[in-house]
Amino acid sequence: MSPPGSGKVNFNSFCTIVMPFLEDDDDEAMNEELKEAFRLYDKKGEGFITTQILKEILKELDPKLTRDDLDSIIEEVDEDGSGTVDFDEFMEMMKG
């Protein structure tokens, strides 16, 4: 468990925040929930998270992912090759 105020969320907390949205049929509610989850990692409010942070999130979601798996996912998600993932890219990944 991350210490309060550290700005970090452990995997269980992340799932608790995100999963209800993924199970909800209401697109607007899902978008709001994913927006909130994205904000947890976009600590400075810059409108993006780094691909390194996304790799850490994905590794927490599925510890069996290899470095190659993670690189492949990042390559697919980070369409513009910027090294960052904006909210639209994040949404597309989360919605599959």
Side-chain angles (χ1 to χ4, degrees):
M1 182 106 187
S2 298
S6 70
K8 295 184 179 185
V9 176
N10 66 25
F11 178 69
N12 289 336
S13 296
F14 178 77
C15 286
T16 300
I17 293 165
V18 174
M19 291 314 290
F21 297 106
L22 297 178
E23 295 169 358
D24 196 333
D25 289 336
D26 183 357
D27 281 344
E28 189 173 324
M30 181 187 293
N31 288 350
E32 286 304 311
E33 290 171 3
L34 288 173
K35 212 177 275 188
E36 183 60 31
F38 185 81
R39 273 184 245 165
L40 290 172
Y41 292 97
D42 180 20
K43 294 173 188 68
K44 295 181 182 177
E46 297 173 309
F48 64 85
I49 58 175
T50 66
T51 53
Q52 184 58 43
I53 289 173
L54 183 57
K55 283 182 185 181
E56 291 170 14
I57 293 168
L58 293 170
K59 191 69 172 169
E60 286 289 324
L61 290 171
D62 186 354
K64 296 178 200 157
L65 289 172
T66 66
R67 183 181 300 255
D68 287 341
D69 292 335
L70 292 169
D71 289 342
S72 178
I73 293 168
I74 295 300
E75 185 177 313
E76 199 172 307
V77 173
D78 184 20
E79 296 171 353
D80 59 4
S82 64
T84 61
V85 176
D86 64 24
F87 180 68
D88 291 335
E89 291 168 325
F90 180 77
M91 284 285 287
E92 188 173 319
M93 178 192 76
M94 294 303 283
K95 288 186 169 184

